[in-house]
Amino acid sequence: MVDAKNNKFPIYAVIFTVAFKLLFLLTHYIQEDAFITWRVAQNLLDYGVIGFNGDTKISASTTHLYVFVSYFFNLIFGKEYFIEPLLIFNSILFTIGTLFLSHLLLKNPWHKAIFIFLIGILPPAIKISILGMEYGILFFLEMSLLYYGFNKGKKWVQTILPALIMFTRIDTVIFLGIVFLVDMLWNKKIRWNYVFGGVWGVLLSVAFNWFYFGELVNNTITAKKLLYGQEYTFQQHIDYFLASFGNYWGMLKLPGNFNPITIIVLIFELLCFIYLIRQREKRNYFLWMIFIFGWAKQVIFISQKSLFDWYYWVPQLLLFVPVLVFVLEQKIKRNWWLSLLIIFYILPMLAFQTIHSIATGNGEWNYRRNIGLFLNQYEKDKNQWIFLEPAGYVPYFSGLKTIDEVGLVDKGVQTEIKKDKKNYWINTVKSRKPKYLLSYKNLYDGNDANSVYYQTHYRLLKEFRVKDHLKSNNKILEKIYKLKPSGTDYNLYIRID
């Protein structure tokens, strides 16, 4: 009876962790790109087409599976009320994923419960759960594959889940490949069901892109590579890595090129991993999988100059897992180790993320969303176009047809980039003549032909300034807003001819 009761502790931890993290819904911190996926889902609802602007097909979202999930949540709850249920759903799935991970690595129910809660309140876990991206579903699917496919030996899981994982994000081929290699080297055999699942997953993803969109990879990948791709010297590669690894490898995004906290944590993670894998236990089989994947994903994405921090959330967590396991399994002074970890790392990380979420939520929800709401009221004709960057909050809340600077939601920009990358912005404006321009810069500055063109054809309609959104009746919130102001100043222009 006691054992049965103890075995429920991890389930209680899941429920408590989800409930605790739902407090972050109050911050209204939702990632910009989530609104791209949700608009694609609503476009599918309204036009029956996976696109962004009416009946034009385009893979504007990085994730196909999450588009369909978002579509069903819109269908069930309606466009006005689907966001909170979907965020709760993401949080539940992610936390169940941590439950599966705890079963793979730990035996003591109490240790599992502590593991679930502590990993669940780290910054990447909070962002995965609450920011509206697809990683809650992805983490659940990946941990389900390890737990049911490789721990329980369910062959149907090995066959089906790789396809779902890859249909969520095509770059998960890294995770699936690492799992395959570790499993083959550890067990000295090949799981052909899993091989078939991987091959089927690749074919399904590529075939869907090809037959539906007429492209092999998602448009988002093509667009980012086209605009951001450039040749680097070896020294530039080194400089870029030094400037980026602290922000994207660790859990803190701090200004500057050097982040000593990240280096200390990385070394400790590596030492804990080496300590744990000294014996050939089944637990270590999964530790090898998640740790190698964490390093591989980080190295590959940083080397490819991937600036978006959500790419790093899952590996950040998985690389930290050996630290939690090491501390929880200490037989001498375990409580001392655990107290030090909580006081000097986990609680500061939680405090940092809380401040970050409040400040960024203000900048996104109260500021950037306000621009979209203004346009929604000002412009009643939703067939009018706006040219801007990024394509999340403002297009979603304005309802206007959208051209984004990167070409994620409209391929016409890519055509202009190929013609003349240096002048693609002004060339897009001249050829497409969008009614609205939303720019970080003052387009009237300068005496060149471009500024003359803007002065001739566009009128400044409204200025949006971050400083105007740093006030609150709550003095603590106001201090946080001013401590970490979030957002960018914008100028909104309207065409006059």
Side-chain angles (χ1 to χ4, degrees), residues 28-246:
H28 294 295
Y29 178 24
I30 301 174
Q31 184 64 44
E32 181 92 31
D33 281 49
F35 286 100
I36 297 178
T37 298
W38 294 342
R39 171 142 164 178
V40 171
Q42 292 177 357
N43 200 84
L44 178 60
L45 190 67
D46 294 337
Y47 297 93
V49 170
I50 300 175
F52 199 87
N53 296 310
D55 59 1
T56 302
K57 295 179 180 179
I58 187 170
S59 53
S61 172
T62 54
T63 168
H64 295 320
L65 181 64
Y66 191 46
V67 165
F68 290 115
V69 171
S70 300
Y71 166 85
F72 283 113
F73 270 80
N74 272 273
L75 197 63
I76 295 167
F77 295 97
K79 294 180 182 179
E80 299 293 327
Y81 305 105
F82 83 96
I83 292 179
E84 284 77 12
L86 182 55
L87 297 183
I88 294 170
F89 177 72
N90 286 345
S91 187
I92 291 171
L93 284 188
F94 169 78
T95 312
I96 293 173
T98 65
L99 172 67
F100 293 155
L101 184 57
S102 73
H103 288 331
L104 295 174
L105 302 176
L106 298 162
K107 295 178 181 178
N108 186 303
W110 264 112
H111 293 173
K112 293 178 182 180
I114 296 170
F115 175 89
I116 291 165
F117 179 70
L118 292 184
I119 202 168
I121 62 172
L122 288 170
I126 292 170
K127 290 185 279 192
I128 288 171
S129 301
I130 302 299
L131 267 63
M133 301 288 278
E134 64 270 17
Y135 289 95
I137 292 174
L138 184 61
F139 191 81
F140 169 78
L141 291 173
E142 290 176 339
M143 295 306 108
S144 297
L145 174 65
L146 296 185
Y147 182 67
Y148 288 106
F150 289 86
N151 184 53
K152 299 290 186 182
K154 304 291 184 184
K155 292 184 178 180
W156 67 269
V157 172
Q158 298 169 18
T159 305
I160 294 175
L161 285 196
L164 290 176
I165 289 169
M166 207 168 295
F167 203 60
T168 306
R169 286 192 66 92
I170 193 70
D171 55 51
T172 52
V173 68
I174 301 171
F175 173 80
L176 297 173
I178 295 296
V179 169
F180 169 77
L181 289 173
V182 172
D183 177 65
M184 181 181 66
L185 294 172
W186 186 279
N187 294 308
K188 303 295 190 292
K189 66 177 183 179
I190 296 176
R191 298 182 194 255
W192 292 107
N193 292 80
Y194 183 61
V195 172
F196 175 77
V199 172
W200 181 54
V202 172
L203 292 177
L204 176 66
S205 300
V206 172
F208 181 80
N209 279 341
W210 180 255
F211 288 108
Y212 193 85
F213 299 109
E215 57 196 18
L216 290 176
V217 297
N218 292 26
N219 175 67
T220 52
I221 298 173
T222 304
K224 290 173 184 176
K225 184 177 180 181
L226 180 63
L227 183 62
Y228 299 135
Q230 66 181 79
E231 294 296 325
Y232 287 86
T233 64
F234 179 76
Q235 185 59 47
Q236 286 174 323
H237 280 292
I238 298 297
D239 293 341
Y240 181 93
F241 177 81
L242 292 174
S244 304
F245 90 99

Side-chain angles (χ1 to χ4, degrees), residues 358-423:
I358 291 171
T360 309
N362 175 62
E364 299 292 315
W365 189 261
N366 296 335
Y367 172 58
R368 207 190 302 267
R369 182 180 67 109
N370 189 59
I371 302 174
L373 293 174
F374 168 82
L375 278 164
N376 185 275
Q377 292 295 317
Y378 186 86
E379 180 57 71
K380 302 302 180 184
D381 181 4
K382 301 310 175 187
N383 287 315
Q384 294 296 338
W385 290 80
I386 183 170
F387 187 24
L388 51 62
E389 175 64 24
Y393 275 88
V394 176
Y396 183 88
F397 287 102
S398 70
L400 298 177
K401 290 190 174 180
T402 303
I403 309 165
D404 70 295
E405 293 181 10
V406 184
L408 301 180
V409 305
D410 186 284
K411 289 187 177 180
V413 170
Q414 296 176 36
T415 303
E416 297 296 342
I417 293 173
K418 291 174 184 176
K419 288 180 186 176
D420 183 359
K421 191 172 183 178
K422 183 179 179 181
N423 299 301

